[in-house]
Amino acid sequence: MISIIVFILLVITTAFVFGRRVMQVRKNILLGRDIDRSDQKSERLKLMTLVAIGQSKMVRRPIAGLMHILIYVGFVIINIEILEILIDGLTGSHRVFLPLLGGSYTAFISSFEILAVLVILSCVVFLARRNIIRLKRFWSAEMTSWPRSDANIILVVEILLMVAFLSMDAADQVLQTSMPNDYHHTGSFFVSAFLVPFFEGMSASSLMATERFMWWFHIVGILAFLNYVPYSKHFHIFLAFPNVFYSNLSAKGQMDNLSRVTDEVKLMMDPNADPYAAPVDANATNDRFGAKDVADLSWKQLMDAYTCTECGRCTSNCPANQTGKLLSPRKIMMDTRDRLEEFGKGLNPEKSLLSNYITEEELWACTTCNACTESCPVNIDPLSIILDMRRYLVMEESKMPSELMTMSSNIENNGAPWQFAAADRANWRNEG
């Protein structure tokens, strides 16, 4: 009874802490500007099924994609086993699904064990790629000690949880033989059967203590993991699905016009318009052109920031980054998330995303090729943030590189980017 009470309190505490963090993240996301992404629902569902559930963009890099799918499938399916543990913990039962599944229970758990081994192997490969092979994209300037540690913590925890699961099953199988009246007979599980020799010869009390320790370690570890995830880059486990669903379905590279600018242009172009009679939006007068801080971005852009898993595919495909420019699309997303966390707590109001986190040099290094958005496994769009911040620099602070200033002046005066009149454009044909 005491263990049941402790378990119930643990589950309630976990749910409360997790729920509070999720609400905090939701509140931060809703600090962004409102945009409508409710159209084309069938297309959005199809995209979510293909990209978020089907992992279609992950397999563009086959090795990493396959390993990720194994972890992903293992995470989803092994949750069924976690459901059994939760029921056992809340009711004081043991292997509650055994009477329901009968003879198929052994195959049922064995399939979970096979997945557990595949998850362990995949995590080991990922650890090696990050810490032994040290792939370049995992050691970029923005990948400081915490981002690297965050990834390693998750991988090590997943290995420990899977080892605890297999050890629990192995100890349980020995107890079924030594204490048949107290433990359900399940038969031999496929993987943990190979671990049984390590537990044979132990006393009954030691076996029971080991089995219970592994049981508690497994479930407490999962509950702790659940509360750790919303604070880490692995929050994409939950956010990937809505983030892909609300993807931008417009043509790649299409830029939205600011409604306030469009309205002003229409007003100027209409000879019959009375500017003093035009309706005035009191809230619009306080809006910025573009984005200086996170509150100027849309809620979808802020969701993108929380969904980023820091895999670095965007940065490794960025032509500006490949040629040594300061720009890293991954850093753009990480900076946006860090500033949003700070902004949501009301800290450092004198700071802003532009200048204090992201520099002008980074923004103007972007070629707007969309490689970052195209390569992201969960359809994050760093380019939209870059464009909005550029828009602020140009329209609010009249700042742009001298080369662009010259080009803009030429377009304004000559109708073309070049420094000669339109009447002289064909003169090249007369030379030579």
Side-chain angles (χ1 to χ4, degrees):
M1 180 59 67
I2 293 176
S3 66
I4 293 176
I5 294 174
V6 170
F7 190 82
I8 291 173
L9 292 175
L10 180 64
V11 171
I12 292 174
T13 302
T14 299
F16 173 77
V17 175
F18 178 78
R20 185 176 63 177
R21 174 58 180 170
V22 168
M23 293 305 295
Q24 180 186 1
V25 171
R26 180 179 181 273
K27 179 182 176 183
N28 287 348
I29 291 174
L30 293 179
L31 291 172
R33 294 182 295 101
D34 188 34
I35 57 169
D36 184 12
R37 290 285 173 87
S38 60
D39 61 326
Q40 304 182 59
K41 287 185 172 59
S42 59
E43 183 66 25
R44 294 184 181 281
L45 285 170
K46 178 181 176 181
L47 188 65
M48 183 181 71
T49 302
L50 185 66
V51 175
I53 300 176
Q55 306 279 291
S56 61
K57 296 178 78 172
M58 282 299 302
V59 295
R60 292 178 181 177
R61 299 188 180 186
I63 296 177
L66 177 61
M67 298 293 104
H68 188 276
I69 288 174
L70 289 175
I71 294 177
Y72 168 71
V73 172
F75 175 83
V76 172
I77 296 180
I78 291 176
N79 279 335
I80 302 174
E81 177 264 342
I82 295 171
L83 178 61
E84 181 184 51
I85 292 180
L86 283 173
I87 296 174
D88 285 344
L90 293 172
T91 62
S93 58
H94 184 66
R95 297 195 179 274
V96 68
F97 287 166
L98 179 58
L100 299 175
L101 298 176
S104 62
Y105 183 81
T106 301
F108 182 67
I109 298 298
S110 292
S111 64
F112 292 164
E113 291 191 348
I114 294 171
L115 277 173
V117 171
L118 293 175
V119 168
I120 291 172
L121 293 175
S122 299
C123 289
V124 169
V125 171
F126 279 141
L127 282 170
R129 281 159 53 88
R130 287 178 173 274
N131 302 287
I132 299 176
I133 302 174
R134 297 179 71 146
L135 295 181
K136 181 181 177 181
R137 62 191 172 100
F138 297 133
W139 290 83
S140 301
E142 67 269 17
M143 298 302 288
T144 55
S145 59
W146 167 244
R148 293 198 302 269
S149 299
D150 183 26
N152 289 331
I153 288 170
I154 291 292
L155 293 171
V156 170
V157 167
E158 288 180 352
I159 291 173
L160 292 176
L161 291 177
M162 296 302 104
V163 170
F165 167 55
L166 296 173
S167 300
M168 175 188 72
D169 282 352
D172 188 84
Q173 288 177 72
V174 178
L175 286 167
Q176 292 173 31
T177 303
S178 60
M179 302 176 65
N181 295 327
D182 298 314
Y183 286 84
H184 295 300
H185 181 71
T186 62
S188 179
F189 299 131
F190 185 79
V191 177
S192 57
F194 294 97
L195 301 177
V196 166
F198 293 99
F199 296 91
E200 290 177 335
M202 295 175 62
S203 65
S205 59
S206 297
L207 275 173
M208 292 173 63
T210 300
E211 191 273 339
R212 283 293 87 187
F213 173 81
M214 293 300 177
W215 187 92
W216 278 100
F217 182 88
H218 184 62
I219 191 60
V220 172
I222 288 171
L223 296 177
F225 176 86
L226 183 66
N227 279 325
Y228 174 78
V229 162
Y231 292 93
S232 90
K233 70 190 186 70
H234 289 80
F235 203 25
H236 76 282
I237 293 172
F238 301 101
L239 286 180
F241 304 99
N243 199 71
V244 174
F245 180 84
Y246 291 116
S247 296
N248 183 7
L249 300 183
S250 301
K252 289 181 175 62
Q254 178 177 328
M255 301 181 188
D256 296 329
N257 292 321
L258 290 176
S259 59
R260 291 171 58 199
V261 176
T262 303
D263 292 342
E264 289 291 333
V265 172
K266 288 179 179 178
L267 193 64
M268 289 188 293
M269 298 296 291
D270 185 358
N272 300 317
D274 181 0
Y276 299 102
V280 177
D281 185 349
N283 294 323
T285 59
N286 296 322
D287 288 345
R288 290 192 176 106
F289 291 112
K292 180 182 181 182
D293 210 348
V294 287
D296 303 321
L297 299 172
S298 71
W299 61 262
K300 177 57 171 65
Q301 290 168 321
L302 301 184
M303 181 186 286
D304 278 351
Y306 274 118
T307 308
C308 178
T309 187
E310 301 171 12
C311 67
R313 293 191 180 202
C314 55
T315 295
S316 65
N317 283 289
C318 174
N321 186 271
Q322 290 174 3
T323 55
K325 302 294 192 301
L326 193 60
L327 174 64
S328 168
R330 172 174 56 188
K331 179 181 178 295
I332 297 292
M333 304 315 303
M334 294 170 68
D335 286 343
T336 302
R337 181 181 60 214
D338 291 345
R339 173 56 185 163
L340 181 56
E341 279 287 299
E342 184 180 69
F343 187 89
K345 296 174 183 176
L347 301 176
N348 299 319
E350 73 283 357
K351 289 186 176 182
S352 64
L353 181 61
L354 179 62
S355 298
N356 295 112
Y357 284 83
I358 300 172
T359 65
E360 295 178 26
E361 182 181 353
E362 293 173 78
L363 297 176
W364 291 115
C366 178
T367 65
T368 67
C369 68
N370 247 310
C372 54
T373 303
E374 178 63 23
S375 61
C376 178
V378 288
N379 286 8
I380 291 171
D381 187 8
L383 177 59
S384 66
I385 296 178
I386 293 172
L387 290 178
D388 280 344
M389 296 183 76
R390 278 184 178 179
R391 198 172 253 164
Y392 171 83
L393 286 172
V394 174
M395 301 188 71
E396 292 278 355
E397 298 191 357
S398 299
K399 288 183 178 180
M400 68 172 70
S402 59
E403 296 85 354
L404 289 179
M405 186 72 75
T406 300
M407 183 190 74
S408 297
S409 298
N410 289 336
I411 291 174
E412 181 180 0
N413 297 322
N414 304 322
W418 303 283
Q419 284 185 315
F420 46 78
D424 298 330
R425 289 180 188 172
N427 287 353
W428 63 273
R429 294 180 302 180
N430 302 324
E431 296 183 6

